Amino acid sequence: MEEPDVTTVEARAFPRSRVKVPAVVTPTLVLFGAALALAVSAGWLTLAEGTTPLLTVPLEMLAMLGLFVVVHEASHHATGRLTWLNDVLGRVAVLFSSAFVSFPAARYLHLEQHRHGGSGHLTPWNLRGPRWQLPLRWMATDLWHTFAYFKRTADRPQAEVAESLALLVLLPGTLAAVAGTGNGWELLLVYLLPQRLTMLLASWWFDWFPRHQPPDACSYHSVHSRYPSLPFYRYQQAWRADREPDAAPPPAPACGGEFHRLAVTRVERPLDRVVVVSLALPPELRAEFRFSPGQHVTLRTRVEGALLERQYAVCSRPGEEELRLAIKQVPDGWLSNHATKVLAPGDELEVRPPEGSFTLTPDPREAKHFVAIAAGIGIAPVLPMLGHALATAPRCRATLLYVNRTGADTLFARELSALTRRFEGRLRVVHFRTDERDPDLRPARTGNPFDTIGSALAICFERYQPGALDSARLRFLLSARLHPAKVDEWFLCVPPPLADTVRAVLAEHHVPPDSVHGETFHVMARV
């Protein structure tokens, strides 16, 4: 007597300054180049005896401070949407910021502080002790980070640990070798002393000083804690936006209107317990039933004397002369059982016009990346959303993470494959199959070895992964291809447990809640 259905998107408040990182953040790239050139030039002048220590140390400190900012930006994937660019800039810049910590290790520890509510970059070790000890502790911040990282290596990727160990051995060893050649004084002036003083200055300037300002002061800390992935040159803009009064919330969507009797023209059965019902739209009702992809309609009918109302997503394309609805049979679901077992062409259903705010209507001039996560029947609103968006906005692209038990339980599998071929790389689909015996996970082998080689080398935009989409897999995706800096909007149409997991992981990675749109399954009682 109860069956799952969909509800409207959850509206949540978030500041207006949305993080939109370009492919390459030019100010950060310029800062990197200028700081690196300054560091090399100051070192060359010192070796050529063309300058004094009183000038060398400040110049090197200025260069290292700029490279410290680059390391921090790259840790938050804020130097651009290109992952390799962040990795390269971070790995080069960290060599000037620390003689002990690798960039992957520093990035991991810093992001852990953000995820677990850390109040800044300073570690608890840096904040303990008498005030006169604080400068000494600040100068050794990277030593504490090195110790903290190697206590957690059991949970880190082997390649990351190997890189961190290699840097910990090679860089101090190289410095010791340079000092052994009789260039210890130059090494101290050009590298060691400026690096320690820069770490002291950065700790004071970016952490200790901002936290001793009034709460409403415009400081690095107040902006960065709210917008971790925002490029540094936009901090003033974000601070001013936060101080502006909040706009009035949008009005609640109006009811879809009155019920109309529509005739059933077809009842298709693509899966064992799923039917796709087509309803004829008379010409006089087509304007009233015009919809945006992703919206749903409310069906009303009488089953065994009970008047039932249920909502189902529209899975037809805009402009079609029929309204198509996907209905999954649910145990003890009166209307779904009636639709999957009894409903036939010629029957009539009372239908209320489309409603709902779970929609995707991009500007044709924009170039955005959308990610949709669907499970089972949740593909019903998502499929027309992605198809319509990619057809009307030629510069946009989309990624779909689709969870099912097996291929035999996958709704609209052929339609999805056709869309990936149609848009040639603008739509990528990753199937997660919880039944690891699914044949799609093990393609059939042929006797011709050239067929196997050709399949391996073929460009394919539809992939299959064994197992469910859990938090660990989602975190991995967010660290690479689906990094938040590369995604503009997220669309979820999954059961509540998975929706909660996805929202929690996205929140860990500082994805703005207003860029996450959800259509969740819930239970509706009998009317």
Side-chain angles (χ1 to χ4, degrees), residues 13-17 19 114 220-230 238 241-243 510 512:
F14 195 79
R16 286 170 297 280
S17 295
V19 179
H114 277 280
Y220 156 85
H221 178 71
S222 64
V223 176
H224 180 60
S225 61
R226 301 192 67 178
Y227 306 101
S229 298
L230 190 71
D242 280 347
R243 293 179 64 87
H510 308 287

Side-chain angles (χ1 to χ4, degrees), residues 279-363:
L279 302 170
L281 286 176
E284 64 273 13
L285 291 180
R286 288 175 187 170
E288 187 173 355
F289 275 82
R290 185 178 295 115
F291 64 93
S292 296
Q295 288 188 310
H296 59 267
V297 297
T298 301
L299 300 186
R300 185 170 69 183
T301 190
R302 191 172 296 276
V303 179
E304 298 183 9
L307 187 63
L308 305 178
E309 289 186 11
R310 298 292 184 266
Q311 295 173 339
Y312 294 102
V314 178
C315 56
S316 50
R317 294 187 297 269
E320 293 185 354
E321 297 182 358
E322 293 183 330
L323 204 63
R324 299 174 67 231
L325 310 175
I327 302 177
K328 180 179 180 180
Q329 181 182 350
V330 178
D332 299 327
W334 283 15
L335 198 150
S336 67
N337 276 275
H338 176 77
T340 55
K341 296 179 179 179
V342 179
L343 199 64
D347 293 343
E348 288 189 342
L349 294 172
E350 292 185 86
V351 186
R352 191 162 62 195
E355 55 188 316
S357 55
F358 184 67
T359 59
L360 173 57
T361 53
D363 188 325

